Amino acid sequence: MMAHIDHATTSGTFTLDGETFEVENNVWVVGDDLECVIIDAPHSVPAILDVVGTRKVRAILATHAHDDHIRVAPELAEATGAPILLHPEDLALWRLTHPDIEPDGELADKQVIEIGGTQLHVLHTPGHAPGAVCFYSADMGAVFTGDTLFQGGPGATGRSYSDYDTIVASIADRLLSLPPETLVHTGHGGSTTIGAEAPQLEEWRQRAS
């Protein structure tokens, strides 16, 4: 059975530093016809379970712990029996949303998650958040970047726990070294490719302090 990527979009809010915004989030489900992992758990458990179908969920993987990426993670974990995995450097952000619930396990740089005939390589890419990670599948030619890299540039860094110089360095070191044809599946908005974004690196660096 071949691994494949499924997708849902859910709508809700993002709140940090006392401000709230309406957002639409991508949810990515990676696996084969029997098992899968879910990348991010933003706003709606039913919408995510519709994409999962009858498959066994092996893990709920958080690209980072802003509330619009983990809000329904505990409820989704209860519904599926799957553990929530988060990079430990994002625990402070996680506790802003779920002060009484801890993730079930940790994500680490260079960790490999095997699911449905593919491997997801964990890339620690701080900047948008301290524990932000991306998930790269070489055989699927895809990387799931959360809010680290979008079509047109880096994720936002104007709020607490973020840093522009750090996110640009993360993108340069960990993402732009991937093959140019690699599909970039983001946390919000449309997908792009590494090759489409790489030419903008020097412009991004010039904006850095």
Side-chain angles (χ1 to χ4, degrees), residues 82-112:
I84 303 163
L85 305 183
L86 176 75
H87 193 284
E89 289 187 27
D90 255 23
L91 277 173
L93 276 170
W94 168 275
R95 289 168 180 150
L96 295 177
T97 304
H98 301 300
D100 301 319
I101 303 170
E102 292 288 287
D104 301 293
E106 295 184 352
L107 294 169
D109 189 45
K110 300 182 181 177
Q111 179 180 350
V112 178

Side-chain angles (χ1 to χ4, degrees), residues 5 28 36 38 64 74 81 90 92 106 144 149-150 167 180 185 201:
I5 299 166
W28 303 97
C36 64
I38 299 166
H64 63 293
D90 255 23
E106 295 184 352
F144 303 88
L149 178 62
F150 292 114
I167 200 172
H185 295 312
L201 176 61

Side-chain angles (χ1 to χ4, degrees), residues 3-28:
H4 51 89
I5 299 166
D6 296 293
H7 172 242
T9 303
T10 66
S11 299
T13 60
F14 162 59
T15 299
L16 188 63
D17 296 338
E19 293 187 89
T20 298
F21 305 89
E22 296 289 330
V23 289
E24 286 196 348
N25 287 64
N26 294 319
V27 179
W28 303 97

Side-chain angles (χ1 to χ4, degrees), residues 4-209:
H4 51 89
I5 299 166
D6 296 293
H7 172 242
T9 303
T10 66
S11 299
T13 60
F14 162 59
T15 299
L16 188 63
D17 296 338
E19 293 187 89
T20 298
F21 305 89
E22 296 289 330
V23 289
E24 286 196 348
N25 287 64
N26 294 319
V27 179
W28 303 97
V29 178
V30 181
D32 59 16
D33 292 341
L34 298 178
E35 63 176 8
C36 64
V37 294
I38 299 166
I39 299 175
D40 287 339
H43 312 292
S44 169
V45 169
I48 297 169
L49 293 181
D50 281 348
V51 178
V52 169
T54 60
R55 290 178 284 179
K56 174 68 176 177
V57 180
R58 297 298 181 187
I60 300 160
L61 309 178
T63 61
H64 63 293
H66 284 152
D67 64 348
D68 61 320
H69 291 258
I70 54 127
R71 181 172 286 114
V72 300
E75 185 183 349
L76 188 61
E78 186 174 345
T80 61
I84 303 163
L85 305 183
L86 176 75
H87 193 284
E89 289 187 27
D90 255 23
L91 277 173
L93 276 170
W94 168 275
R95 289 168 180 150
L96 295 177
T97 304
H98 301 300
D100 301 319
I101 303 170
E102 292 288 287
D104 301 293
E106 295 184 352
L107 294 169
D109 189 45
K110 300 182 181 177
Q111 179 180 350
V112 178
I113 298 165
E114 297 195 12
I115 187 67
T118 193
Q119 293 184 331
L120 293 175
H121 295 258
V122 180
L123 310 175
H124 182 210
T125 54
H128 180 70
V133 298
C134 300
F135 303 98
Y136 173 56
S137 171
D139 59 289
M140 301 181 83
V143 61
F144 303 88
T145 58
D147 290 2
T148 294
L149 178 62
F150 292 114
Q151 186 176 35
T157 53
R159 300 191 174 274
S160 297
Y161 303 96
S162 66
D163 182 77
Y164 184 80
D165 291 18
T166 303
I167 200 172
V168 171
S170 291
I171 292 168
D173 295 343
R174 309 309 305 278
L175 297 181
L176 298 189
S177 58
L178 300 176
E181 65 274 14
T182 303
L183 289 169
V184 177
H185 295 312
T186 64
H188 308 270
S191 296
T192 182
T193 66
I194 292 295
E197 303 309 316
Q200 304 173 78
L201 176 61
E202 196 53 43
E203 177 187 342
W204 303 336
R205 280 178 166 157
Q206 287 174 6
R207 292 186 210 157
S209 59

